[in-house]
Amino acid sequence: AACPSKKEFKILISGLGGSGIGGKLISAIVADTCPLPIVCNNDYHLPTFANHNSLVLICSYSGNTEETVAVMEAALEKECQITCITSGGRVLELAQKHNLQHIIIPGGNPPRSMLAYSLIQLIHVMVALGFTPEETMDQVENSAVYLAENQEEIFNAAESIGPHLAGKFPILYSSTLLEPVSIRWRQQLNENSKMLCSHHVIPEMNHNELVGWDRGSEDVVVIMLRSELDFPRTAARMDICEKIFNDKSEVIIINGIGDSLIEQFFQLIHLGDWISLVLAEAHEVDAM
């Protein structure tokens, strides 16, 4: 893929649910290397700014997500530059009809179970465009090695944490840096465990939701996702918030493991996915 080196050029990543979370993750991964603004779109509408100077990445695992298809059709009308990541459906049909760049990934699974496939393709696209260095793929490989070597440890951690969430309303807190992971955890608890939960980020949470902790609730369990990569002032705020939460509810601290943001993303997501399956068993529901 190639894109013009114009100041007005923008990147739009369109997708929802298990197909859309990859956009939020890649936006964080390339935030320090990509010189262009990236907008994640989770709706039917193509933003007004999109035009021939916009790269629109269409992410729909099934290829039939109606919101994403609507955005793709609008992007075609506005002659945007389009690249698709899909397993088939209407998206693949349109991509082939209009001779668009597209990547086909294996189909037939729940979209949320194929996150690695779609995210890796997004990373490849960003590397190909020069928006993140080729060394980024080394971090992906390191992640794969870590997960393969630590499966039992991660699963044991999930089995230990899961029971603390059963019968509770989980609230996920993280820095803005780790918000994509919080979203993934929330989505997995929703879809796999069939339970409600919420997430918020610090420091924004300190300017509104924190006041709600004046009352708190015993029905709530707090999960704080933390990283040594968090901004120092944000880390200090999280330390203070932890003490406030502890006066009202149980608090579980989970630290990201890995030398890079990608490695920590994969480690935390893998743990969260296992926790959602442990809770599905506890709730006696079908995770699929």
PDB file of all heavy atoms in Angstrom, residues 2-9 35-36 53 81 131:
ATOM      1  N   ALA A   2       0.354   2.292  -0.570  1.00  0.00           N
ATOM      2  CA  ALA A   2       1.083   3.548  -0.596  1.00  0.00           C
ATOM      3  C   ALA A   2       0.126   4.682  -0.295  1.00  0.00           C
ATOM      4  O   ALA A   2      -1.047   4.643  -0.657  1.00  0.00           O
ATOM      5  CB  ALA A   2       1.727   3.764  -1.965  1.00  0.00           C
ATOM      6  N   CYS A   3       0.602   5.690   0.418  1.00  0.00           N
ATOM      7  CA  CYS A   3      -0.260   6.819   0.716  1.00  0.00           C
ATOM      8  C   CYS A   3       0.515   8.105   0.518  1.00  0.00           C
ATOM      9  O   CYS A   3       1.729   8.150   0.743  1.00  0.00           O
ATOM     10  CB  CYS A   3      -0.813   6.739   2.134  1.00  0.00           C
ATOM     11  SG  CYS A   3       0.438   6.742   3.412  1.00  0.00           S
ATOM     12  N   PRO A   4      -0.133   9.178   0.093  1.00  0.00           N
ATOM     13  CA  PRO A   4       0.564  10.437  -0.158  1.00  0.00           C
ATOM     14  C   PRO A   4       1.068  11.044   1.137  1.00  0.00           C
ATOM     15  O   PRO A   4       0.450  10.916   2.178  1.00  0.00           O
ATOM     16  CB  PRO A   4      -0.522  11.305  -0.799  1.00  0.00           C
ATOM     17  CG  PRO A   4      -1.811  10.747  -0.289  1.00  0.00           C
ATOM     18  CD  PRO A   4      -1.574   9.272  -0.182  1.00  0.00           C
ATOM     19  N   SER A   5       2.219  11.717   1.077  1.00  0.00           N
ATOM     20  CA  SER A   5       2.778  12.344   2.256  1.00  0.00           C
ATOM     21  C   SER A   5       2.222  13.757   2.376  1.00  0.00           C
ATOM     22  O   SER A   5       2.922  14.745   2.191  1.00  0.00           O
ATOM     23  CB  SER A   5       4.307  12.377   2.156  1.00  0.00           C
ATOM     24  OG  SER A   5       4.702  13.027   0.968  1.00  0.00           O
ATOM     25  N   LYS A   6       0.947  13.845   2.675  1.00  0.00           N
ATOM     26  CA  LYS A   6       0.281  15.133   2.807  1.00  0.00           C
ATOM     27  C   LYS A   6      -0.163  15.325   4.252  1.00  0.00           C
ATOM     28  O   LYS A   6      -0.558  14.380   4.936  1.00  0.00           O
ATOM     29  CB  LYS A   6      -0.938  15.214   1.880  1.00  0.00           C
ATOM     30  CG  LYS A   6      -0.589  15.132   0.397  1.00  0.00           C
ATOM     31  CD  LYS A   6      -1.837  15.271  -0.446  1.00  0.00           C
ATOM     32  CE  LYS A   6      -1.505  15.230  -1.944  1.00  0.00           C
ATOM     33  NZ  LYS A   6      -2.706  15.378  -2.783  1.00  0.00           N
ATOM     34  N   LYS A   7      -0.112  16.556   4.697  1.00  0.00           N
ATOM     35  CA  LYS A   7      -0.468  16.840   6.076  1.00  0.00           C
ATOM     36  C   LYS A   7      -1.926  16.493   6.365  1.00  0.00           C
ATOM     37  O   LYS A   7      -2.284  16.159   7.480  1.00  0.00           O
ATOM     38  CB  LYS A   7      -0.203  18.311   6.385  1.00  0.00           C
ATOM     39  CG  LYS A   7       1.271  18.681   6.387  1.00  0.00           C
ATOM     40  CD  LYS A   7       1.461  20.140   6.740  1.00  0.00           C
ATOM     41  CE  LYS A   7       2.937  20.506   6.768  1.00  0.00           C
ATOM     42  NZ  LYS A   7       3.155  21.929   7.097  1.00  0.00           N
ATOM     43  N   GLU A   8      -2.757  16.603   5.329  1.00  0.00           N
ATOM     44  CA  GLU A   8      -4.186  16.369   5.555  1.00  0.00           C
ATOM     45  C   GLU A   8      -4.554  14.890   5.502  1.00  0.00           C
ATOM     46  O   GLU A   8      -5.721  14.532   5.703  1.00  0.00           O
ATOM     47  CB  GLU A   8      -5.033  17.134   4.531  1.00  0.00           C
ATOM     48  CG  GLU A   8      -4.897  16.647   3.081  1.00  0.00           C
ATOM     49  CD  GLU A   8      -3.811  17.362   2.312  1.00  0.00           C
ATOM     50  OE1 GLU A   8      -2.899  17.908   2.959  1.00  0.00           O
ATOM     51  OE2 GLU A   8      -3.887  17.391   1.078  1.00  0.00           O
ATOM     52  N   PHE A   9      -3.591  14.022   5.245  1.00  0.00           N
ATOM     53  CA  PHE A   9      -3.887  12.602   5.132  1.00  0.00           C
ATOM     54  C   PHE A   9      -4.261  12.034   6.497  1.00  0.00           C
ATOM     55  O   PHE A   9      -3.632  12.347   7.506  1.00  0.00           O
ATOM     56  CB  PHE A   9      -2.682  11.852   4.565  1.00  0.00           C
ATOM     57  CG  PHE A   9      -3.032  10.478   4.060  1.00  0.00           C
ATOM     58  CD1 PHE A   9      -3.551  10.312   2.785  1.00  0.00           C
ATOM     59  CD2 PHE A   9      -2.878   9.366   4.861  1.00  0.00           C
ATOM     60  CE1 PHE A   9      -3.881   9.055   2.316  1.00  0.00           C
ATOM     61  CE2 PHE A   9      -3.201   8.116   4.402  1.00  0.00           C
ATOM     62  CZ  PHE A   9      -3.715   7.948   3.121  1.00  0.00           C
ATOM     63  N   PRO A  35       3.054   9.275  12.076  1.00  0.00           N
ATOM     64  CA  PRO A  35       2.931  10.739  12.055  1.00  0.00           C
ATOM     65  C   PRO A  35       1.531  11.226  11.675  1.00  0.00           C
ATOM     66  O   PRO A  35       1.281  12.436  11.700  1.00  0.00           O
ATOM     67  CB  PRO A  35       3.960  11.146  11.004  1.00  0.00           C
ATOM     68  CG  PRO A  35       3.947   9.999  10.042  1.00  0.00           C
ATOM     69  CD  PRO A  35       3.748   8.769  10.883  1.00  0.00           C
ATOM     70  N   LEU A  36       0.653  10.304  11.319  1.00  0.00           N
ATOM     71  CA  LEU A  36      -0.683  10.684  10.856  1.00  0.00           C
ATOM     72  C   LEU A  36      -1.741  10.366  11.907  1.00  0.00           C
ATOM     73  O   LEU A  36      -1.589   9.414  12.680  1.00  0.00           O
ATOM     74  CB  LEU A  36      -1.021   9.945   9.551  1.00  0.00           C
ATOM     75  CG  LEU A  36      -0.048  10.122   8.397  1.00  0.00           C
ATOM     76  CD1 LEU A  36      -0.500   9.300   7.200  1.00  0.00           C
ATOM     77  CD2 LEU A  36       0.059  11.592   8.022  1.00  0.00           C
ATOM     78  N   ASN A  53      -7.777  11.460   0.229  1.00  0.00           N
ATOM     79  CA  ASN A  53      -6.559  11.514   1.026  1.00  0.00           C
ATOM     80  C   ASN A  53      -6.684  10.723   2.316  1.00  0.00           C
ATOM     81  O   ASN A  53      -5.897  10.916   3.248  1.00  0.00           O
ATOM     82  CB  ASN A  53      -6.200  12.962   1.373  1.00  0.00           C
ATOM     83  CG  ASN A  53      -5.533  13.677   0.213  1.00  0.00           C
ATOM     84  OD1 ASN A  53      -4.820  13.046  -0.557  1.00  0.00           O
ATOM     85  ND2 ASN A  53      -5.759  14.970   0.090  1.00  0.00           N
ATOM     86  N   GLN A  81      -8.936   5.683  -0.240  1.00  0.00           N
ATOM     87  CA  GLN A  81      -8.056   4.544  -0.426  1.00  0.00           C
ATOM     88  C   GLN A  81      -8.467   3.484   0.599  1.00  0.00           C
ATOM     89  O   GLN A  81      -8.510   3.769   1.793  1.00  0.00           O
ATOM     90  CB  GLN A  81      -6.593   4.959  -0.229  1.00  0.00           C
ATOM     91  CG  GLN A  81      -6.154   6.024  -1.219  1.00  0.00           C
ATOM     92  CD  GLN A  81      -4.692   6.355  -1.058  1.00  0.00           C
ATOM     93  OE1 GLN A  81      -3.865   5.469  -0.877  1.00  0.00           O
ATOM     94  NE2 GLN A  81      -4.361   7.630  -1.121  1.00  0.00           N
ATOM     95  N   PHE A 131       4.720   3.209   8.985  1.00  0.00           N
ATOM     96  CA  PHE A 131       4.207   3.905  10.154  1.00  0.00           C
ATOM     97  C   PHE A 131       4.655   3.273  11.465  1.00  0.00           C
ATOM     98  O   PHE A 131       4.397   3.811  12.538  1.00  0.00           O
ATOM     99  CB  PHE A 131       2.674   3.960  10.109  1.00  0.00           C
ATOM    100  CG  PHE A 131       2.150   4.800   8.973  1.00  0.00           C
ATOM    101  CD1 PHE A 131       0.900   4.562   8.425  1.00  0.00           C
ATOM    102  CD2 PHE A 131       2.913   5.829   8.441  1.00  0.00           C
ATOM    103  CE1 PHE A 131       0.420   5.332   7.381  1.00  0.00           C
ATOM    104  CE2 PHE A 131       2.445   6.602   7.400  1.00  0.00           C
ATOM    105  CZ  PHE A 131       1.192   6.352   6.864  1.00  0.00           C
TER     106      PHE A 131
END
